[in-house]
Amino acid sequence: MPAKHDATPDPPLNQERPAQGHQDFLREMVQQDLASGRIDNVVTRFPPEPNGYLHIGHAKSICLNFGIAREFGGRCNLRMDDTNPTKEDVEYVDSIIADVRWLIAGWADECLGLKPVGASPEKRDLGGHTDYYLPSMMAADSSGQALEPLYASDYFEPLYEYALELIRGGRAFVCDHSPEEVDLMRGAPDRPGQESAYRNRPVEESLDLFRRMRAGEFPDGAHTLRARIDMGNPNVWLRDPVLYRIRHASHHHTSDEWCIYPMYDFAHCLEDYIEGITHSICTLEFEVHRPLYDWILEALDLPRPLPRQREFARLNVTYTVMSKRKLLQLVQEGHVRGWDDPRMPTVSGMRRRGYPAQAIRAFCERIGVAKRENMVELSLLEHFVRDELNRRAPRAMAVLRPLRLVIENYPEGQTEEFETVNNPEDASMGTRRVPFSRELYIEQDDFREVPPPKYHRLSPGVEVRLRSAYLITCTDVVKDPQTGDVTEVRATYDPATRGGDAPDGRKVKSTIHWVSASHAVDAEVRLYDTLFTAENPDDVAEGRDFTATLNPGSLETLQGCKLEPSLGTAVPGATYQFERLGYFCADTEDSVAGAPVFNRTVRLKDAWAKIQKRQGTGRR
RNA sequence: UGGGGCGUAGCCAAGUGGUAAGGCAACGGGUUUUGGUCCCGUCAUUCCGGAGGUUCGAAUCCUUCCGCCCCAGCCA
């Protein structure tokens, strides 16, 4: 009876080292702020808009924000930045929560900042100022309360109050211009804009109009609330930007309570402030928004320390696209089977494919964080996936493209078992038994009737080792009379080599894997290649889009693969190394006991494939 | 060419005036019952985007030039 592998979908984590060595510019800033006394604790935040699934680029941001919180003993708030009801959906908030939790599990889960379900900012008096404050809580501090992520939409009331305050201070006004007019009047980067005709309307009038906007008296687009800054500023984001717009739309979290919604620039800095965020880390494209971020906070005369925005370069990875718009397009146009298709760079896709969270984290740590534009090679990510799985994944034998092998001198009907190690990297993972018999399957790639140069595997007259079993020598082949294809290989075994070692010390050049034909479990195996054939799918000819470089061979589904018996009951999500082939993960959607479905997570490195490539032969 | 950023190896990335870390990739070798893992070695010989300058000394400071990215949503 073959022993079952002791594989779990997400086994205990390896210890990861805390901050050491060099510091990036963000950690340096945090350190200085701590040293100077500007702040005495660190609170970061990860603020996705729930309008798509998280991807590897978000993973970088998560590792950064949670990593900093973790290193400085602070926390990182998970916040839904949901200020645009027309684009957001609860499906996305659910997936975001699951993805974040999975990614930080066992590493920074104690830094995850949440809030009690239903909590909203507390209005209080602080030194004569009205203040809104919603501190996050960590799960450990919740004393049993149910927690949920923070939502920007829970701050709509305070945000509205802050907007009123801006109007009273003459720093904002209600504008009646149409979107088209506002466009025309914005000017150009090298040409000043033109002031709104409503810019100097009385404060009371703006106040009244803004209240009526909220009350729903006007249709979409009839009015906006605008900051009163400077239409001549060379930074176009300071040219009286829109702060609020009217949107008669139902919101996934506040339903129909509001018909005016704050714009990102107005909302985000105040969301950060309300939560007591100390460092607001975002991507480079927001750098030009920073003066506006600071302007709004400073215009409000707020009693607590202000958050600081700093920007880093977003991640790009070769052979993939990263924008939510494009990922959504891949899903909607059916180029993939869903957001969690194992070919997708989404967190859920990578999880389903079998990428361990710690591999993704190790990758994010290794790529570092800086401000220069970058395109990281996929091979680096794959390196960390292999590195993690090599230590963790139990080995097993599986034949993907079966070729029948008959051991002519092995008694018909006889069966024996060999004990073999589950992981040569980790003796504690134990051993298992694999059954052997006269008829086996070997990999088609492991036999060549006429071996090319440097081919070490089986061919007529050549002796190889069947892993953990016997040395065998190929004696003959059987061919299909029609096609001439080899349909069966005949061989003899040396009974003295039981276990795989020859008593006379003779060596063989190759060890190949095998599965006993009568004991084999049939399986479907899905082989993945990059979704795109171009390193940069966005780099296509004029008039074409990134889908032009879609890889037609990104998914190859193999039926009738032959697995060793212990794999028949693989737990969905469990990852194995199929020896000599790669790492494979039992699919969490489609795999069932007795009819397993495996995804190839990543290939093993393959020196022979390189040789073949040089020779101009070989399989994709 | 208004404003804001960024240029260190094929790809990331340290370096913050004292003589160019590290990882991936690539290449060569050793070990090996996985052509895997592991180990050893090679990989920026005053070319750190270019040119000048300051200095005993410059990737680091100054000047100038070049290149790339971002910004004119009532998206985030």
Side-chain angles (χ1 to χ4, degrees), chain A residues 164-351:
Chain A
L164 251 20
E165 186 58 32
L166 243 27
I167 298 172
R168 284 190 210 101
R171 318 299 293 269
F173 63 97
V174 170
C175 177
D176 304 354
H177 286 303
S178 70
E180 297 72 28
E181 288 169 327
V182 171
D183 255 10
L184 259 21
M185 295 167 77
R186 188 159 19 236
D190 55 352
R191 178 167 38 86
Q194 184 187 335
E195 294 189 349
S196 164
Y198 310 93
R199 195 173 200 267
N200 296 315
R201 85 186 337 159
V203 165
E204 282 311 320
E205 194 177 312
S206 279
L207 246 19
D208 176 59
L209 252 11
F210 189 52
R211 291 190 182 107
R212 290 164 60 196
M213 281 166 64
R214 175 182 183 171
E217 291 186 27
F218 309 113
D220 288 7
H223 302 276
T224 55
L225 182 72
R226 290 229 257 160
R228 199 160 180 275
I229 310 180
D230 174 13
M231 289 306 289
N233 200 293
N235 182 342
V236 296
W237 290 104
L238 259 19
R239 322 247 265 223
D240 293 6
V242 172
L243 266 23
Y244 264 92
R245 75 286 213 182
I246 300 172
R247 275 260 200 295
H248 290 273
S250 188
H251 186 280
H252 72 95
H253 192 66
T254 60
S255 83
D256 297 313
E257 193 182 339
W258 294 85
C259 65
I260 56 173
Y261 291 92
M263 297 289 291
Y264 167 84
D265 287 296
F266 178 68
H268 204 88
C269 53
L270 288 166
E271 293 162 20
D272 287 342
Y273 173 77
I274 288 168
E275 293 177 16
I277 300 299
T278 56
H279 300 276
S280 182
I281 299 165
C282 61
T283 45
L284 244 29
E285 65 268 29
F286 291 102
E287 201 157 18
V288 290
H289 293 240
R290 194 157 93 203
L292 180 54
Y293 183 102
D294 292 337
W295 184 92
I296 292 168
L297 293 175
E298 281 158 16
L300 254 9
D301 193 23
L302 301 163
R304 284 181 292 117
L306 303 182
R308 256 194 176 194
Q309 176 181 308
R310 279 300 179 288
E311 311 80 15
F312 70 95
R314 66 167 357 117
L315 169 66
N316 297 292
V317 177
T318 55
Y319 300 105
T320 194
V321 294
M322 214 66 96
S323 89
K324 281 199 253 184
R325 200 212 95 224
K326 287 172 190 148
L327 296 177
L328 178 63
Q329 187 181 341
L330 290 172
V331 172
Q332 288 181 336
E333 292 179 359
H335 297 115
V336 295
R337 294 176 176 180
W339 284 100
D340 69 344
D341 187 299
R343 293 166 291 179
M344 291 281 273
T346 51
V347 172
S348 54
M350 293 188 289
R351 177 171 59 228

Side-chain angles (χ1 to χ4, degrees), chain A residues 43 87 94 154 167 193 253 255 324 374 393 516:
Chain A
V43 188
K87 294 193 170 182
D94 293 343
D154 282 331
I167 298 172
H253 192 66
S255 83
K324 281 199 253 184
N374 61 80
S516 168

Side-chain angles (χ1 to χ4, degrees), chain A residues 78 96-106 109 112 114 139 147:
Chain A
L78 171 59
I96 288 168
I97 296 168
D99 288 348
V100 169
R101 283 191 178 281
W102 177 75
L103 210 46
I104 67 172
D109 15 28
L112 177 60
L114 302 169
L147 301 182

Side-chain angles (χ1 to χ4, degrees), chain A residues 263-468:
Chain A
M263 297 289 291
Y264 167 84
D265 287 296
F266 178 68
H268 204 88
C269 53
L270 288 166
E271 293 162 20
D272 287 342
Y273 173 77
I274 288 168
E275 293 177 16
I277 300 299
T278 56
H279 300 276
S280 182
I281 299 165
C282 61
T283 45
L284 244 29
E285 65 268 29
F286 291 102
E287 201 157 18
V288 290
H289 293 240
R290 194 157 93 203
L292 180 54
Y293 183 102
D294 292 337
W295 184 92
I296 292 168
L297 293 175
E298 281 158 16
L300 254 9
D301 193 23
L302 301 163
R304 284 181 292 117
L306 303 182
R308 256 194 176 194
Q309 176 181 308
R310 279 300 179 288
E311 311 80 15
F312 70 95
R314 66 167 357 117
L315 169 66
N316 297 292
V317 177
T318 55
Y319 300 105
T320 194
V321 294
M322 214 66 96
S323 89
K324 281 199 253 184
R325 200 212 95 224
K326 287 172 190 148
L327 296 177
L328 178 63
Q329 187 181 341
L330 290 172
V331 172
Q332 288 181 336
E333 292 179 359
H335 297 115
V336 295
R337 294 176 176 180
W339 284 100
D340 69 344
D341 187 299
R343 293 166 291 179
M344 291 281 273
T346 51
V347 172
S348 54
M350 293 188 289
R351 177 171 59 228
R352 185 168 173 189
R353 180 154 172 170
Y355 283 17
Q358 27 307 54
I360 296 171
R361 274 187 253 128
F363 169 76
C364 290
E365 184 190 331
R366 183 43 91 179
I367 59 177
V369 50
K371 296 187 74 164
R372 64 183 91 96
E373 204 185 318
N374 61 80
M375 171 81 78
V376 178
E377 290 174 348
L378 217 214
S379 59
L380 185 61
L381 213 205
E382 293 183 333
H383 162 78
F384 286 105
V385 173
R386 286 192 197 99
D387 187 50
E388 182 65 33
L389 259 16
N390 177 50
R391 270 175 281 145
R392 170 201 293 193
R395 315 284 122 127
M397 291 198 285
V399 174
L400 266 28
R401 297 176 174 89
L403 175 61
R404 183 168 287 265
L405 170 70
V406 177
I407 316 287
E408 294 175 316
N409 59 339
Y410 194 89
E412 283 193 56
Q414 181 173 317
T415 291
E416 65 184 308
E417 286 187 340
F418 292 99
E419 179 139 8
T420 189
V421 69
N422 282 333
N423 188 340
E425 305 296 315
D426 182 358
S428 75
M429 292 178 72
T431 61
R432 70 185 187 287
R433 300 175 78 80
V434 280
F436 181 90
S437 62
R438 186 172 193 265
E439 298 199 0
L440 310 171
Y441 291 111
I442 61 169
E443 207 70 60
Q444 286 172 21
D445 276 351
D446 288 340
F447 177 82
R448 275 304 131 81
E449 191 178 14
V450 296
K454 296 188 176 170
Y455 187 81
H456 295 159
R457 281 108 100 144
L458 198 61
S459 52
V462 170
E463 184 174 51
V464 301
R465 177 168 30 240
L466 293 179
R467 167 113 241 223
S468 304

Side-chain angles (χ1 to χ4, degrees), chain A residues 366-593:
Chain A
R366 183 43 91 179
I367 59 177
V369 50
K371 296 187 74 164
R372 64 183 91 96
E373 204 185 318
N374 61 80
M375 171 81 78
V376 178
E377 290 174 348
L378 217 214
S379 59
L380 185 61
L381 213 205
E382 293 183 333
H383 162 78
F384 286 105
V385 173
R386 286 192 197 99
D387 187 50
E388 182 65 33
L389 259 16
N390 177 50
R391 270 175 281 145
R392 170 201 293 193
R395 315 284 122 127
M397 291 198 285
V399 174
L400 266 28
R401 297 176 174 89
L403 175 61
R404 183 168 287 265
L405 170 70
V406 177
I407 316 287
E408 294 175 316
N409 59 339
Y410 194 89
E412 283 193 56
Q414 181 173 317
T415 291
E416 65 184 308
E417 286 187 340
F418 292 99
E419 179 139 8
T420 189
V421 69
N422 282 333
N423 188 340
E425 305 296 315
D426 182 358
S428 75
M429 292 178 72
T431 61
R432 70 185 187 287
R433 300 175 78 80
V434 280
F436 181 90
S437 62
R438 186 172 193 265
E439 298 199 0
L440 310 171
Y441 291 111
I442 61 169
E443 207 70 60
Q444 286 172 21
D445 276 351
D446 288 340
F447 177 82
R448 275 304 131 81
E449 191 178 14
V450 296
K454 296 188 176 170
Y455 187 81
H456 295 159
R457 281 108 100 144
L458 198 61
S459 52
V462 170
E463 184 174 51
V464 301
R465 177 168 30 240
L466 293 179
R467 167 113 241 223
S468 304
Y470 290 109
L471 263 32
I472 59 159
T473 304
C474 175
T475 53
D476 199 5
V477 299
V478 178
K479 293 184 183 178
D480 182 317
Q482 237 64 55
T483 63
D485 292 343
V486 174
T487 56
E488 185 177 299
V489 176
R490 313 287 292 193
T492 55
Y493 83 113
D494 178 353
T497 59
R498 200 193 137 90
D501 281 313
D504 62 4
R506 72 180 188 275
K507 304 288 186 197
V508 290
K509 283 192 142 174
S510 180
T511 299
I512 64 173
H513 60 277
W514 52 273
V515 172
S516 168
S518 60
H519 300 88
V521 175
D522 275 31
E524 174 178 322
V525 175
R526 299 168 183 170
L527 304 180
Y528 301 105
D529 198 353
T530 56
L531 232 198
F532 299 93
T533 55
E535 278 208 352
N536 181 0
D538 291 318
D539 194 12
V540 289
E542 268 296 306
R544 317 209 57 177
D545 78 348
F546 70 102
T547 58
T549 67
L550 239 10
N551 178 4
S554 62
L555 168 64
E556 184 179 4
T557 303
L558 264 25
Q559 306 284 351
C561 302
K562 305 293 183 181
L563 313 185
E564 68 166 73
S566 69
L567 254 15
T569 52
V571 177
T575 301
Y576 298 85
Q577 185 196 96
F578 290 179
E579 290 207 50
R580 304 208 306 130
L581 297 175
Y583 296 95
F584 293 76
C585 174
D587 191 72
T588 48
E589 300 298 316
D590 303 329
S591 192
V592 294

Side-chain angles (χ1 to χ4, degrees), chain A residues 40-41 43 75 77 115 119-126 129-137 150 154-155 158 162 270-278 302-305:
Chain A
D40 53 15
N41 68 325
V43 188
R75 60 183 191 278
N77 289 355
K115 65 159 172 96
S120 55
E122 174 201 347
K123 183 177 186 173
R124 59 181 188 175
D125 185 87
L126 204 63
H129 299 263
T130 300
D131 193 43
Y132 293 94
Y133 186 44
L134 179 62
S136 58
M137 301 180 80
L150 300 113
D154 282 331
Y155 314 157
Y162 282 127
L270 288 166
E271 293 162 20
D272 287 342
Y273 173 77
I274 288 168
E275 293 177 16
I277 300 299
T278 56
L302 301 163
R304 284 181 292 117

